[in-house]
Amino acid sequence: MGRSRDAWLRRFPGAGAAGGSGAEWELVCFPHAGGSASYWRPLALALSPAVDVSAVQYPGRLDRLREAPVEDLHRLADLIAEALGPSGGRPRALLGHSMGASLAYEVAVRLARVPGGEPDLLVVSGRRAPAAARWRDRGVPLGDDELVARVRRLGGTDAAVFDEPDLLELVLPALRGDYRALSSYEDTAGRPLTCPVVALAGDRDTEATPEEVGAWGEHTSGAFRTHVFEGGHFFLNDRADEVAGLVRGLLSARTG
């Protein structure tokens, strides 16, 4: 499995695809379970060219379809942290949604173990804080029918995918792998981070309520804030401009 940045990170045409060398901040985005790097294209376009946005492409989807999904979040975090490497002195932020929030957190923990490697900001979205997730994730559905029903209900994937057998056959391995990884995941406990953490929540999200999301502050000794948006689990789909404005403000404030 490739270890280079190019094997793991994707940029988007029209959003600093040449490398974002003129951008002051690097923002690395982590997709949800079953998701791909392309989920973050709207945010990348909204923040370009001021922010160099890249998104992680997990194995088992799109251009990495032939690779087996990694069914262990800690192993996946190890691989991604190794691929990211040092920031090169440029400020770096990590942003993850749902499963991607847990993964962004674990990658931040690993980067922080190297002097000067900790990201300057971690943004976690639509994900229960680890203490709340420990007991709820044990019951994730692993049968295909249950799995499809759950993903349909959450609304993060185009429903047409589930109505086309050929498409469903392509996406199911990644979905299975991601949910198996979630069902066995044990977080890195305590307050291993010192960077600021910002948590985003949807006010109608039953998968990760604002109260559950608000407990992320227990995992950093740095500053912590919660922002609640109108919407369900995938509030990002409808609030992309608002989220982009918030992220832009967060990075500007950190620069100042």
Side-chain angles (χ1 to χ4, degrees):
M1 191 173 294
R3 294 183 178 182
S4 71
R5 288 176 60 96
D6 290 343
W8 287 92
L9 299 182
R10 302 291 177 270
R11 289 189 172 89
F12 309 100
S21 58
E24 184 167 3
W25 275 85
E26 177 189 19
L27 175 64
V28 182
C29 300
F30 296 73
H32 53 281
S36 66
S38 60
Y39 180 76
W40 295 105
R41 185 175 183 272
L43 183 69
L45 291 172
L47 294 175
S48 177
V51 182
D52 177 16
V53 179
S54 56
V56 179
Q57 188 78 294
Y58 308 141
R61 59 217 79 198
L62 296 183
D63 57 334
R64 303 188 71 179
L65 191 62
R66 295 183 182 275
E67 299 178 50
V70 178
E71 298 184 1
D72 183 311
L73 285 191
H74 285 280
R75 173 62 178 154
L76 192 53
D78 289 341
L79 292 167
I80 296 169
E82 181 181 3
L84 282 176
S87 67
R90 181 169 59 164
R92 172 188 281 168
L94 307 184
L95 165 59
H97 182 71
S98 198
M99 182 191 82
S102 292
L103 193 51
Y105 166 69
E106 293 296 342
V107 170
V109 169
R110 283 152 178 76
L111 294 174
R113 292 170 182 164
V114 178
E118 185 173 8
D120 297 270
L121 176 68
L122 172 65
V123 182
V124 288
S125 169
R127 178 66 174 159
R128 301 178 295 272
R134 287 180 197 126
W135 62 273
R136 288 188 61 174
D137 282 340
R138 296 298 174 262
V140 296
L142 297 183
D144 288 350
D145 290 344
E146 276 188 288
L147 193 54
V148 169
R150 178 190 179 99
V151 176
R152 277 184 185 271
R153 186 175 68 253
L154 292 177
T157 302
D158 187 346
V161 170
F162 303 117
D163 297 326
E164 294 289 339
D166 291 342
L167 290 177
L168 184 58
E169 185 177 350
L170 290 176
V171 302
L172 267 177
L175 274 174
R176 292 189 199 109
D178 289 351
Y179 275 94
R180 286 172 183 153
L182 283 171
S183 69
S184 61
Y185 170 58
E186 294 283 351
D187 61 282
T188 299
R191 294 179 183 265
L193 301 177
T194 62
C195 66
V197 174
V198 176
L200 314 182
D203 63 357
R204 299 191 304 275
D205 187 0
T206 58
E207 189 75 8
T209 67
E211 292 75 20
E212 292 171 322
V213 172
W216 272 102
E218 299 175 10
H219 296 273
T220 183
S221 58
F224 175 75
R225 296 163 59 187
T226 303
H227 292 267
V228 180
F229 293 85
E230 182 181 348
H233 189 59
F234 282 95
F235 63 88
L236 279 166
N237 295 358
D238 300 319
R239 305 291 169 186
D241 288 343
E242 292 178 42
V243 173
L246 173 65
V247 171
R248 191 180 299 109
L250 291 170
L251 300 186
S252 296
R254 291 291 297 166
T255 301

